[in-house]
Structures are given as structure tokens and as C-alpha cells.
Amino acid sequence: MDELFDKAWTHIAVTRREAVCEVALARPEARNALNGVLMEELTEVARLLRLRTDILAVILTGTESYFSAGADLSASQARAGQATLMEARRAVMAGPDMCKAWDEIEAVTIAAVEGYCIGGASALAVSCDFRVMGEGAYMRLPEVPLGMNMSWRTLPKLVALAGPSRAKQYVMFGEACDAQRCLAWGFADEVVETGGALAAARRWAAKTVALPPLPVRATKEAVNAIAQATAQASIYMDRDQYLLMSRSADYREGIAAFREKRPGMFTGD
């Protein structure tokens, strides 16, 4: 039995096309929102893929209409309300652990993005080596306008891709970054017709599979080491920053304003 391909996953679908593995988010009832189960499965599948030599490329995708609505706020707030600070500190590692697991896959990873890719889903997408987006797709980080910091060990990757000023714009303002802007800023590697992202990702995967695998993996490892040389020093506190901000009045106001579809009234408390 091959645990990767034969397991009955709950919220993902895992298929194989010769030396290419495709992982599709499959929680349509919640627009692929990242709850605990989905993040655990994405982490597990990445760890199973990490050192496999028979898989040379991995495609991560959502549906034809959307990639993911991001972290499941309802689930995270319910956990936070019932947890001690120590338990909450451990619980908020689910997202960073998932992104780290995808970052550590030795095969080349390609995210195929259609529709919206929001919050934690954007963090997951930038944990892949390449991103291919449909023309109508967009990425957005709503965390700061909701009263929290962007964590999940994502900031170093955004700065490496887009530079400091654009990373600040993307994170601070919480505005949608459409496919063409993502391409211009370095968040996307190719933009194709709406509905064509998966086919394009398969083309990228085929190009990868045709290359000698050892230097491909060595190149990925070396480039990631250079790009992320100071990452740990710069983000080791981001989960504690999140825990601090999640206990602020502005965080509660940000979430309430989002749910009530009104502007937030922030005080710095």
C-alpha cells in the first residue's frame, strides 16, 4: 500500500500522473477554508512527499473557481476561546508547520491558482516554488485590517519575491492583488487564461520532469538557502505577536467589523 496515494483523505484529493503528484484542496462546503483537519492533511501529505525520489514535481491546486478562502476564522476563534495560553501557542503552529512542510518538499512544487487565494492560502501558495494564476485570480492578505499581524513565517518569502516596499503594501493594506500585479511583483510566475492554471502547472511540471533530477533538487535547495538565510531570525516571534494581537480590542473590533460588513473603528488598544 502506498500511504500517499491510497489513503482516504478527508479534505484533499491526491492523484498521480507518472512522476507528478497533484494535491487538490477539497473542502467545497467551506470554499476550501483552512480548518484544523485540512491543515493537518496538507502537512502530512507534504511530509510524505518530502524525500520521495519517484516524484519529481508536485502541483497544488484548488477548484476551477477558487483556490481557498484562507484560514477558518470560526474554527480558530473557537479553539482560542477554550485554550490556555500555552495550548493556544501550540495550536497557532498549525499554519506555520503546514507552510514549512511544503517548503521542505525536495521535488519542485507548483501552485495552480484560480479565483481567490486569501490569507493563509496565500502563505501556502508562496511556500511553493512557482505559482501559475488564471487571469481572473487574485491573492489577498486581510490580516492587518482585521487587527492581526501576518504570521505563518510568510514575511521573508514575500520580501524575497517582491522587495520591502511592495511586501509592505501587500501586507498592510489587505487589498486584492490581481494576477497581473502578482506577475509584475513576483508573486506569480505566469498568468494564463481563466480556467487554464492547472493545465499550465502541468506544463511546468512536465518541463521539470524532463530535467535531470539531482541538479534540479540541488538548485532548489541552494536558492532557498540563500533566499531564506535570515528567515528564522526575522520570524521566530511572529506567532507570539499574533497571540498578543489576538487578545487586543482592535482584533475583536476588526473581526466584528468584517462580519458586520462595516469599517472598523480602531483605537490601538
Side-chain angles (χ1 to χ4, degrees), residues 59 61 110-114 132-134 192-202:
I59 296 172
T61 188
I110 307 152
V113 179
E114 298 283 0
V132 179
M133 299 179 70
V192 296
E193 281 188 13
T194 296
L198 181 56
R202 287 171 176 165

Side-chain angles (χ1 to χ4, degrees), residues 222-261:
V223 171
N224 284 353
I226 294 164
Q228 301 176 29
T230 62
Q232 182 58 32
S234 60
I235 50 78
Y236 79 99
M237 284 291 290
D238 70 359
R239 63 169 165 165
D240 292 309
Q241 292 173 342
Y242 170 78
L243 288 172
L244 173 64
M245 293 178 200
S246 69
R247 283 157 172 73
S248 70
D250 278 352
Y251 172 80
R252 294 190 293 274
E253 167 62 10
I255 298 297
F258 170 74
R259 288 178 170 162
E260 296 166 14
K261 302 186 186 309

Side-chain angles (χ1 to χ4, degrees), residues 14-31:
V14 183
T15 55
R16 180 171 189 164
R17 299 165 63 91
E18 298 181 345
V20 180
C21 175
E22 296 187 5
V23 180
L25 308 183
R27 194 183 174 221
E29 71 279 6
R31 300 179 298 155

Side-chain angles (χ1 to χ4, degrees), residues 83-91:
T84 66
L85 185 57
M86 182 73 82
E87 291 167 341
R89 194 171 189 267
R90 174 64 192 93

Side-chain angles (χ1 to χ4, degrees), residues 167-219:
K168 289 173 188 174
Q169 292 179 59
Y170 181 50
V171 175
M172 286 181 183
F173 299 128
E175 297 170 346
C177 192
D178 65 31
Q180 289 298 335
R181 179 175 288 185
C182 283
L183 183 64
W185 283 13
F187 296 144
D189 299 283
E190 183 179 5
V191 174
V192 296
E193 281 188 13
T194 296
L198 181 56
R202 287 171 176 165
R203 176 167 44 79
W204 279 69
K207 185 163 61 171
T208 299
V209 168
L211 295 169
L214 285 173
V216 167
R217 293 190 179 206
T219 299

